[in-house]
Amino acid sequence: MPSFTRRLRQETLGWVRDGVVTAQQVEAILARYPESGRWFQRPSAIFSILGGALVVMAIALVIAHNWAEIPRWAKLAGVLTLLLGSYAGGLFLRARDRGLVGEGLFVLAGGLLLLGIALIGQLYNLAGRESDAVLLWWALLIPAAYALPSIALIVLGWCGASVWFCMFVLDRTTWLGRDVYANATLGAVAFGAAGVLVWAIGSLHGDGEFHRARRLIEQLGLLTILVAMVPLGFLKQLGGWWIVGASMRLPAAVLILLALAAVAVGVAWLRFPPDRPIIRAGLAASLLLVIVYLLVVTLKLVQQTPESVYHMLGWTNWAILLVMALALILCGARWDRSAWINWGVIWIGVDAVARYVELVGTMLQASALFAATGVFVLALGGALELLRRRVTAKVAVLRASA
Amino acid sequence: MRRGLFIAAVLVQALVLVAWSASLEWELAGAERIRLEVVQRDPRDLLRGDYVSLQYVIADIPLETIAGGRPDYGDRVWVTLRLQDNVYALAAASRAPVTPGPGQRVIVGRVQSLSNTSGRPEVHLVYGIERLYVPEGRSGLPRGRVEAEIALAEGARPFLTRVFVDGRPYPSKAR
């Protein structure tokens, strides 16, 4: 995607041609927005992040060495000094227009916070749930990340939240892990619900100063939904051990997670870009469709219904993935969110491969399915191209009349 | 304003670490010390520090011993201990908090697994005292009778303070 400056340069050619601005005015406008290059193309950004991470690892090893000669309070004071010093250094560099290098110090500080928590665990021989330590870490990190804001800390915080969620689901002593342990399919349901929740939270960031965070978190959500939905499409094939667990009680934790995801979608809908109500509602509805599907899977598992029901749910899974992918592509095209378009295409591709592996019905039946879907997608591409030409023509007419 | 919020968030991080450490010190200072027998130890190395993994005699409890019905994964269980041959051993267990009798102590654990050993249903509890962090290269308990010194803080919450092998502290230089 071209940078803002490059797009501005392209657009201003038309402005001069149409007499909106003069060539001198264009030069003055462009001078205010010098081409800075993507942040990751600058060596300083990459090296500062890497350097920060390496220093964190070095300090981690010093802590791991566990010097018995150093008193407890001295170890803790050392880590705290480094923590506060890193934050202060990052703020200092940011104030002197060296923000990218400062991000490296923020990464260092974020890592030191985790090391501080690990150090206390070491000093007092604490052997509780490790997911609790990760929870404390990202819960403390996220407010600082958003307060500044620091994109590096936001990414680090959300990585921590992702790791925490995986640990939380896989630990059978947690309220969610307990439900998942009773039936492994609920693990996929939990991740699907979490994916929708994360996507919705990402969407809430809007297009302002947190637009980069929005893009990253939305993509994390979309990836999680995909990773959860694909194995659910194989419910029938995976056999009895996947479907039937111990005597199933109502998985309250999973249901609460689904409810949270549904509420989050409702709230995120309010932050969608302005557009026709049916378009906005359509995207929200496709996400709610995922939630409803996950709810049905959960309830069917509790009721331990016959395997034929899972065959039907497999078909539904395929259809929902396609609907969701199309919604992402259409809304991504309308709202200039290229990541959604990319993910929509990926979803269709992964769905196609999954169905090919599954071999729906006979080979001939699967061939008919692929042919029908392929024709539909080609027709969709044609429709999108027509839409683009219509919009471009409308803009040209408006210019000419002005 | 934003800078102020950020500084406040950073100070909260530092305060949490300090307050947590201080609360642990406070709990340890007022906690009574008991000894538990250790039956199994598997030394392990991790990036964040060498530690010795400990398992206790009181970790595996017959299901019929637990008052209040069958617990679920992650449920807390209050274990009553009584002194037996200089270490504290299992006397009773309950799914609800209990008041110890004379000479008894209570420790709280969490259900990690349920098993059926030799036809007898058992519950495996973890107490949060299963790791002893040691200086690099010092993991690997020597042979001998292993006992762990546990500080029992408010609410029957245990903390591992020291490990003894044949009556001698391990590692040899105490923390």
Side-chain angles (χ1 to χ4, degrees), chain A residues 66-260:
Chain A
N66 198 351
W67 245 309
E69 289 74 17
I70 303 177
R72 276 181 203 171
W73 60 266
K75 289 180 186 177
L76 191 59
V79 169
L80 276 173
T81 305
L82 287 171
L83 171 78
L84 294 172
S86 303
Y87 276 127
L91 276 178
F92 176 81
L93 289 171
R94 207 170 162 121
R96 274 148 188 73
D97 210 28
R98 303 284 301 277
L100 289 175
V101 181
E103 291 288 293
L105 284 177
F106 287 144
V107 167
L108 173 61
L112 283 166
L113 177 61
L114 182 61
L115 291 183
I117 293 168
L119 175 66
I120 291 177
Q122 183 201 77
L123 291 176
Y124 297 97
N125 294 311
L126 302 178
R129 283 195 208 125
E130 294 188 357
S131 61
D132 290 344
V134 179
L135 171 63
L136 181 64
W137 176 51
W138 73 261
L140 287 174
L141 201 60
I142 291 274
Y146 280 94
L148 201 54
S150 160
I151 189 69
L153 277 182
I154 289 173
V155 169
L156 193 62
W158 277 98
C159 286
S162 305
V163 168
W164 165 75
F165 185 75
C166 291
M167 293 169 81
F168 194 69
V169 169
L170 296 173
D171 181 354
R172 64 185 172 191
T173 64
T174 64
W175 50 275
L176 185 56
R178 210 180 312 188
D179 286 348
V180 171
Y181 189 74
N183 190 302
T185 311
L186 290 176
V189 171
F191 274 97
V196 174
L197 180 62
V198 167
W199 183 91
I201 291 172
S203 200
L204 284 172
H205 286 67
D207 289 318
E209 62 177 329
F210 294 111
H211 71 277
R212 277 192 291 169
R214 173 186 60 72
R215 274 208 304 266
L216 286 164
I217 298 166
E218 278 178 348
Q219 291 187 77
L220 174 65
L222 291 174
L223 173 64
T224 309
I225 297 170
L226 184 65
V227 163
M229 288 290 279
V230 168
L232 284 175
F234 288 99
L235 274 176
K236 183 180 80 70
Q237 281 75 10
L238 286 166
W241 70 268
W242 180 252
I243 297 166
V244 178
S247 57
M248 288 280 291
R249 50 137 189 242
L250 206 62
V254 173
L255 293 174
I256 289 171
L257 190 57
L258 285 168
L260 277 174

Side-chain angles (χ1 to χ4, degrees), chain B residues 69-132:
Chain B
R70 181 191 167 102
D72 205 347
Y73 294 104
D75 282 351
R76 287 191 296 173
V77 174
W78 283 260
V79 177
T80 306
L81 307 171
R82 63 165 185 265
L83 194 61
Q84 192 176 309
D85 297 330
N86 286 330
V87 292
Y88 279 81
L90 173 71
S94 169
R95 289 189 60 190
V98 290
T99 308
Q104 291 183 335
R105 301 289 180 270
V106 175
I107 186 172
V108 66
R110 205 175 277 278
V111 175
Q112 192 185 53
S113 63
L114 301 157
S115 62
N116 213 324
T117 312
S118 309
R120 196 178 71 157
E122 262 186 357
V123 170
H124 181 78
L125 300 178
V126 288
Y127 297 96
I129 52 173
E130 286 75 19
R131 289 187 187 179
L132 173 72

